[in-house]
Amino acid sequence: MVKLQNTSKSYSKRVILNDISLEIAKGDMIALMGRSGAGKTTLLNILGLLEIPDRGEYYLDGNLIRLNNDEIVSRIRRDYIGFVVQNYGLLNDKKIDYNISLPLLIKKLKKDEIKDKVYETACAVGIEEHLNKYPYQLSGGECQRVSIARALIKNPKLILADEPTGALDEKSEQNIIQLLLELNRKGVTIVIATHNSEVANICKKIFYIKNENLFT
């Protein structure tokens, strides 16, 4: 599905990733582990085309992607990739249904189509009763489910989750872990950046980032 080849990334003079390669197959569930600052989020952002590497090649479904073409990069990010972040990334002044619908609003789909898809996706992650509430009225675990629903609503080929349980209590963490497992069993490809070994151990593969390199 997605392959990075001989990829490097630096900030100023600091090397974060050095000549790493990674291949993600359809249906994979992968954990990226490493100490804080090791490069987990950087690697996740490169996979999601939020950041462009200094060197290296990016393949999607076997096709080499021209990373200097902003239109192609934006289209892939919009249509193929869903993002889940630790702090949820929700708009607190907008209701849950609006937050979930954002990717479809960007695509300018019809209102009735968006409404039906929002409800369907909310049901899939168990938050359909909260659609008329605001994020500040929900628990951390519920907000993370909203974030996951927003990622899922455009039927992405790949979900990238950056510390998706990092801000949650133990019970909410377990609920999100089970939800991610269920989504993966349904065929959703997931990559999780985490420092939590319990989260990593649910994944099919674990990669470690240390000293700018990637290890299995």
Side-chain angles (χ1 to χ4, degrees), residues 1-19:
M1 175 184 282
V2 175
K3 182 171 75 171
L4 299 180
Q5 190 164 304
N6 305 118
T7 299
S8 298
K9 181 68 177 179
S10 299
Y11 299 118
S12 297
K13 295 183 179 180
R14 185 189 171 200
V15 178
I16 304 297
L17 302 172
N18 182 33
D19 197 37

Side-chain angles (χ1 to χ4, degrees), residues 16-35:
I16 304 297
L17 302 172
N18 182 33
D19 197 37
I20 69 165
S21 296
L22 173 64
E23 188 164 357
I24 301 164
K26 187 178 187 306
D28 266 349
M29 189 168 185
I30 291 173
L32 302 176
M33 295 198 75
R35 292 185 176 182

Side-chain angles (χ1 to χ4, degrees), residues 95-97 126-134 138 142:
K95 291 184 178 181
I96 298 306
D97 59 350
I127 54 167
E128 65 274 14
E129 72 273 21
H130 299 309
L131 289 175
N132 288 316
K133 296 180 182 178
Y134 291 89
L138 304 186
E142 289 165 344

Side-chain angles (χ1 to χ4, degrees), residues 25-72:
K26 187 178 187 306
D28 266 349
M29 189 168 185
I30 291 173
L32 302 176
M33 295 198 75
R35 292 185 176 182
S36 179
K40 300 187 300 295
T41 297
T42 298
L43 180 53
L44 211 66
N45 286 344
I46 289 173
L47 287 169
L49 297 175
L50 293 173
E51 294 187 46
I52 302 302
D54 301 325
R55 295 184 305 279
E57 296 178 337
Y58 185 109
Y59 293 86
L60 178 65
D61 293 336
N63 299 308
L64 178 63
I65 303 303
R66 291 183 293 161
L67 297 178
N68 61 348
N69 187 314
D70 291 341
E71 183 179 350
I72 291 174

